[in-house]
């Protein structure tokens, strides 16, 4: 399922600037678009809070009460690859959001190709279907934010926040 406007333009601009600041380890929101390097960040406090505040959109779609697991920011650069893969079992529901790119890069879920415009998101069953990108990236940057959830039931409680004490704390392995 594709959400056409998961984030509005103001939210997108804030996310993009924040992502570039993380990438450069700087404190300024005036970062330019040069000198990018591939980066993956899990469990960032800002992104985790967005995962939690947007959870209702996914619950309305699935009609299932969900537990937040973890957020994940990937910043891809020229020649990056994202080979199709499934998530680990407790990451049941996945949302992938394009928060900015300078060149089209098609995504695939179980072989079905599509493209997300900035601000659009795709919902999929993350532990059952392969998600990835088609070919290598040929642009300068592609910013993708992911949210992962699992069904809220007694057996899955231990996976809440990916085993962390609270959202926004560093990731742990469970």
């Amino acid at each position: 399922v594709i959400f056409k406007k998961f984030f509005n333009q103001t939210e997108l601009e804030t996310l993009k600037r924040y992502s570039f600041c993380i990438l450069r380890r700087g404190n300024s929101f005036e970062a330019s678009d040069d000198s990018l390097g591939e980066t993956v960040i899990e469990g960032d406090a800002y992104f985790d809070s967005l995962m939690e505040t947007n959870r209702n959109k996914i619950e309305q779609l699935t009609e299932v009460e969900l537990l937040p697991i973890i957020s994940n920011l990937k910043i891809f650069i020229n020649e990056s690859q994202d080979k199709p893969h499934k998530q680990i079992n407790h990451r049941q529901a996945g949302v992938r959001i394009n928060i900015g790119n300078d060149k089209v890069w098609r995504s695939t879920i179980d072989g079905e190709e599509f493209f997300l415009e900035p601000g659009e998101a795709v919902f999929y069953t993350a532990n059952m279907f392969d998600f990835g990108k088609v070919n290598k990236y040929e642009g300068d940057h592609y910013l993708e934010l992911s949210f992962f959830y699992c069904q809220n039931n007694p057996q899955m409680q231990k996976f809440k926040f990916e085993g962390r004490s609270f959202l926004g704390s560093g990731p742990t392995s469970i």
Side-chain angles (χ1 to χ4, degrees):
V1 174
I2 293 182
F3 294 90
K4 286 294 183 187
K5 291 193 177 184
F6 196 84
F7 290 126
N8 66 40
Q9 199 59 41
T10 302
E11 292 168 322
L12 277 177
E13 189 58 34
T14 302
L15 283 163
K16 185 176 181 181
R17 287 172 170 248
Y18 183 76
S19 298
F20 283 134
C21 289
I22 286 175
L23 180 62
R24 290 177 181 77
R25 308 283 187 250
N27 297 320
S28 170
F29 275 59
E30 298 302 318
S32 66
D33 289 349
D34 58 355
S35 304
L36 292 177
E38 193 167 324
T39 301
V40 176
I41 303 287
E42 283 195 321
D44 175 81
Y46 176 52
F47 298 135
D48 273 359
S49 68
L50 289 172
M51 173 184 62
E52 178 63 0
T53 58
N54 285 282
R55 178 171 46 137
N56 65 328
K57 293 178 186 176
I58 310 307
E59 288 178 334
Q60 288 174 1
L61 176 70
T62 62
E63 298 180 355
V64 172
E65 187 179 346
L66 298 171
L67 292 173
I69 302 295
I70 200 159
S71 63
N72 176 305
L73 171 71
K74 289 185 181 179
I75 302 176
F76 298 100
I77 59 171
N78 191 274
E79 296 293 313
S80 288
Q81 291 185 332
D82 189 16
K83 295 182 179 178
H85 60 283
K86 291 177 182 64
Q87 290 294 319
I88 53 181
N89 280 337
H90 66 274
R91 292 184 181 182
Q92 298 170 335
V95 180
R96 303 282 182 129
I97 309 134
N98 178 352
I99 59 173
N101 60 287
D102 66 327
K103 188 162 181 170
V104 171
W105 196 17
R106 296 189 66 72
S107 298
T108 178
I109 295 178
D110 267 9
E112 184 178 330
E113 293 184 19
F114 58 94
F115 172 69
L116 297 174
E117 294 285 345
E120 293 183 345
V122 63
F123 166 78
Y124 70 110
T125 308
N127 64 346
M128 294 181 65
F129 297 105
D130 289 325
F131 179 92
K133 302 287 192 227
V134 178
N135 303 317
K136 292 181 181 179
Y137 189 56
E138 296 177 359
D140 180 65
H141 63 276
Y142 187 98
L143 310 171
E144 181 180 85
L145 181 59
S146 301
F147 301 147
F148 296 103
Y149 306 92
C150 68
Q151 189 173 6
N152 187 0
N153 64 44
Q155 296 80 20
M156 300 305 283
Q157 283 293 319
K158 66 182 175 185
F159 298 113
K160 184 177 182 179
F161 308 148
E162 194 92 325
R164 299 171 291 160
S165 300
F166 53 89
L167 285 176
S169 59
T172 62
S173 55
I174 49 178

